[in-house]
Amino acid sequence: MNIATPITPTPDRSAAEAALETLRQWAVSADKADLATLDPAIVQLLKGGEAYPLFEREYPADFEIEPDYKESLPDLQNGPSSLIKGAKQQIQHVGISNFRLPVQFETRDNGPLTLETSVTGTVSLDADKKGINMSRIMRSFYKHAEQTFSFKVIEAALDDYITDLESFDARIQMRFSFPMKISSLRSGLEGYQYYDVALELVEQAGVRQQIIHLDFVYSSTCPCSLELSEHARATRNQLATPHSQRSVARISVLLEDGANCLWFEDLIEACRRAVPTETQVMVKREDEQAFAELNAANPIFVEDAARLFCEQLLADERISDFRVVASHQESLHSHDAVSVLTEGPTFAQASLDPKLFNTLFHVG
């Protein structure tokens, strides 16, 4: 038995207009609760507007913000906890990264110095809060940006944005490239060496920590390769050269409470005492020969480097906990030789960032 399926005619424009008029007539006497459940697009039609109205396309340069209008602006990020997506868990760090501005720093020997600085600022977020106002971190920082920076000034900025954002833990990190004039080994030439430095202020559970990070770039001559090269010369009169490579150590130090100032120059000089084969800036032939001799006098494995840096850091009473991460970027192998040495609980951790050693490449 065949049953014919009725064919629904496709509505035309006149049918659509008639339907809209019927909808509007119904809305006149409809209950407000029913109207509140309608699709917003239908509500717009009921008001006599269009589904896609022609908005004003000229920028209103003369428009002035009135207090009532400002108060009416939506703010989803600071909305109620009902808007939270995902698990209602505390977030340890949320904020901004690579916010850049010129900052004036004090130096040990040459007075204040203005450097382009990358700022990372984060706060903790309670489990029942939707989010934070990111711009408040920047505004808090700008209040202090005209001052010559020290850890005391960074603490003032940290205080401001903990208060502004109603948070309990916070962190500020400031990264910059610090110039220091270096003399060549024998020719008397001078040039600027640039050091990647970061200042970090951390507050956790009411306890504050001041941390300095420094990347120190040096040449490492392999002791094994040096001995084998000399063996070839001595036993077979065969010319051979030991392999050396550009190497990077990231030194992170926690400053001791109440200690005297640890200048950037102090930390750099401690690294240079530990491993004197720092890469050179200005070089003539006599300097290149001197550098070859200096490397031969100071051959080091990556384990040696970590312990030599450690020895210098332990000797400085201004330094509490510390970490040394060293990477010898091999010219013999297609891989790097790396080591990590920590002192104290601050930097001790079971897991390492999978990309940690990739960040130790120095780009000249």
Side-chain angles (χ1 to χ4, degrees):
M1 177 179 178
N2 294 327
I3 300 176
T5 303
I7 299 175
T8 303
T10 302
D12 56 15
R13 181 187 179 96
S14 61
E17 289 176 346
L20 177 58
E21 182 59 29
T22 300
L23 178 62
R24 285 175 174 165
Q25 290 177 8
W26 166 81
V28 172
S29 58
D31 186 87
K32 288 185 178 181
D34 289 335
L35 290 174
T37 61
L38 291 176
D39 185 291
I42 295 177
V43 175
Q44 183 71 22
L45 292 172
L46 291 175
K47 292 178 180 178
E50 302 175 13
Y52 299 97
L54 295 175
F55 293 106
E56 180 61 55
R57 292 180 178 271
E58 293 293 327
Y59 174 70
D62 298 329
F63 178 67
E64 295 185 2
I65 296 290
E66 298 292 340
D68 289 345
Y69 182 86
K70 184 177 179 180
E71 189 65 28
S72 73
L73 293 174
D75 187 4
L76 287 179
Q77 190 68 351
N78 290 304
S81 59
S82 60
L83 296 178
I84 293 175
K85 294 184 177 181
K88 291 186 178 180
Q89 290 283 97
Q90 175 191 331
I91 298 177
Q92 283 73 34
H93 297 282
V94 59
I96 60 170
S97 176
N98 202 29
F99 160 51
R100 293 185 295 172
L101 73 167
V103 173
Q104 192 174 72
F105 295 92
E106 198 67 58
T107 67
R108 186 187 65 185
D109 304 322
N110 299 305
L113 181 65
T114 300
L115 301 171
E116 179 183 321
T117 303
S118 170
V119 178
T120 295
T122 64
V123 294
S124 57
L125 184 65
D126 285 334
D128 61 349
K129 289 185 178 180
K130 166 68 175 170
I132 68 168
N133 188 324
M134 299 282 181
S135 68
R136 287 187 183 178
I137 293 178
M138 296 166 62
R139 295 200 302 269
S140 297
F141 209 84
Y142 260 110
K143 292 179 185 176
H144 306 274
E146 299 301 321
Q147 302 180 55
T148 301
F149 261 72
S150 64
F151 270 113
K152 288 184 178 179
V153 179
I154 302 175
E155 287 198 43
L158 191 81
D159 286 336
D160 282 353
Y161 78 70
I162 286 178
T163 301
D164 288 346
L165 296 168
E166 299 178 340
S167 185
F168 47 91
D169 292 343
R171 179 191 306 257
I172 291 179
Q173 187 179 96
M174 302 169 60
R175 293 185 295 108
F176 50 90
S177 188
F178 181 75
M180 189 171 174
K181 188 173 284 188
I182 304 298
S183 297
S184 60
L185 293 173
R186 286 181 181 154
S187 67
L189 296 175
E190 289 186 324
Y192 280 100
Q193 189 81 277
Y194 283 81
Y195 300 88
D196 289 339
V197 175
L199 303 181
E200 189 171 22
L201 179 65
V202 180
E203 176 162 327
Q204 192 170 25
V207 177
R208 290 191 171 175
Q209 295 179 308
Q210 299 176 356
I211 298 169
I212 300 177
H213 305 274
L214 165 72
D215 280 10
F216 183 74
V217 184
Y218 58 99
S219 172
S220 58
T221 295
C222 173
C224 182
S225 181
L226 178 61
E227 291 295 324
L228 292 172
S229 296
E230 290 305 303
H231 181 273
R233 292 170 188 261
T235 61
R236 296 186 289 116
N237 200 33
Q238 175 63 48
L239 180 64
T241 58
H243 75 84
S244 301
Q245 51 273 322
R246 186 182 291 180
S247 305
V248 181
R250 180 163 299 151
I251 311 297
S252 301
V253 300
L254 174 67
L255 302 186
E256 189 70 55
D257 285 343
N260 293 329
C261 178
L262 177 67
W263 297 97
F264 306 138
E265 295 94 331
D266 294 341
L267 190 55
I268 291 166
E269 289 171 359
C271 289
R272 203 176 291 141
R273 288 193 299 272
V275 178
T277 52
E278 181 180 20
T279 55
Q280 301 294 295
V281 182
M282 302 294 287
V283 174
K284 297 179 74 171
R285 285 181 298 170
E286 58 265 41
D287 300 311
E288 186 167 356
Q289 185 182 64
F291 194 62
E293 295 172 12
L294 187 63
N295 272 268
N298 295 276
I300 48 171
F301 294 117
V302 73
E303 301 94 331
D304 301 324
R307 287 171 173 149
L308 287 165
F309 288 120
C310 173
E311 182 178 41
Q312 290 295 320
L313 298 175
L314 286 171
D316 195 322
E317 294 181 350
R318 295 168 293 181
I319 295 172
S320 179
D321 297 354
F322 60 81
R323 178 182 62 201
V324 177
V325 183
S327 174
H328 289 190
Q329 292 146 26
E330 295 277 344
S331 62
L332 171 64
H333 302 292
S334 297
H335 55 263
D336 304 331
V338 298
S339 65
V340 178
L341 185 156
T342 65
E343 171 70 16
T346 303
F347 303 102
Q349 57 190 94
S351 174
L352 292 178
D353 178 352
K355 297 288 187 178
L356 171 64
F357 297 111
N358 291 0
T359 67
L360 266 68
F361 280 92
H362 176 77
V363 179

